[in-house]
Amino acid sequence: MGSRSAIVRRSPGYRLDIGTAHFDFAEFQNEAERGRTALFSGRYEEAAKRYRAALHLWRGPALAGVTEYLASSAGPRLEEDRLSVLERRLDADLALGRAAEILPELAQLVAQHPLRERFRAQLMTVLYRCDRQADALTVFDEGRRVLAEEFGIDPGALLREVHQAILTGTPALVWPGAGPVPLVR
């Protein structure tokens, strides 16, 4: 901790003042914001680099070793931040034509997060770019089945758009230089 660190009692718990010390989540947020700016400006290589730097700061589950209350109240938001940055890093990689490189990672992410439609849409795009159209459509069908069985709902707009783009052979899905369309929102 920094030279002026302190723990202050605040309702409903405590506040840690870290003084001049580094806080890795603040660094994570800064790198992620730089990545976001680069991604939406079409600077995909810089975006991928910034997102990788942000994700490199992540060392295991958020808030490991803290009270159950803190982990359950703040942990999900932190995990959502991490997954969102990971999704955008994959968008940048897609825009750079790295479909084959990220295929194993995306397959694993869809298995770990079967209800996260963005990962599924990215996997469908990657499979399509790797000349595996039938596999891409199977990933859609599996997602549709899971959503219907678990929640009685249909896939969201993003999955439906990517599914339709695969069926019609939309160029943005085929040409890496076309960018991450329609995945970036």
Side-chain angles (χ1 to χ4, degrees):
M1 284 197 235
S3 59
R4 292 183 227 141
S5 61
I7 298 176
V8 180
R9 176 99 167 119
R10 291 266 170 109
S11 182
Y14 298 90
R15 183 178 137 236
L16 176 63
D17 181 356
I18 62 171
T20 59
H22 292 283
F23 181 46
D24 57 0
F25 188 67
E27 291 177 38
F28 169 84
Q29 289 176 312
N30 288 336
E31 285 293 337
E33 183 54 36
R34 288 183 188 118
R36 185 180 185 282
T37 299
L39 182 67
F40 286 99
S41 298
R43 298 186 322 268
Y44 303 122
E45 191 66 54
E46 180 185 346
K49 177 183 169 188
R50 294 293 186 175
Y51 287 137
R52 278 188 175 77
L55 292 165
H56 184 72
L57 294 167
W58 215 267
R59 298 174 195 93
L63 304 175
V66 300
T67 65
E68 186 178 327
Y69 172 78
L70 181 57
S72 65
S73 63
R77 184 183 81 75
L78 296 174
E79 180 63 6
E80 179 60 32
D81 288 347
R82 183 186 74 81
L83 291 173
S84 293
V85 166
L86 182 53
E87 288 170 338
R88 290 192 301 270
R89 195 220 78 214
L90 291 162
D91 283 342
D93 285 337
L94 276 167
L96 292 166
R98 297 178 178 153
E101 295 171 41
I102 63 174
L103 175 58
E105 179 182 13
L106 270 168
Q108 181 179 12
L109 287 167
V110 168
Q112 291 172 342
H113 306 278
L115 301 177
R116 199 158 183 106
E117 293 186 39
R118 189 174 194 87
F119 284 148
R120 191 171 292 279
Q122 290 170 322
L123 178 57
M124 290 166 58
T125 302
V126 163
L127 288 166
Y128 186 78
R129 286 186 180 178
C130 291
D131 295 322
R132 294 175 56 186
Q133 181 176 351
D135 290 335
L137 294 173
T138 298
V139 168
F140 176 81
D141 287 337
E142 289 169 355
R144 179 174 44 196
R145 182 185 47 74
V146 167
L147 291 170
E149 288 176 5
E150 299 273 333
F151 302 101
I153 60 173
D154 292 326
L158 177 61
L159 271 182
R160 290 191 318 266
E161 288 172 19
V162 174
H163 179 251
Q164 186 62 35
I166 290 169
L167 292 174
T168 60
T170 300
L173 287 180
V174 179
W175 303 110
V181 176
L183 298 179
V184 170
R185 292 184 182 270

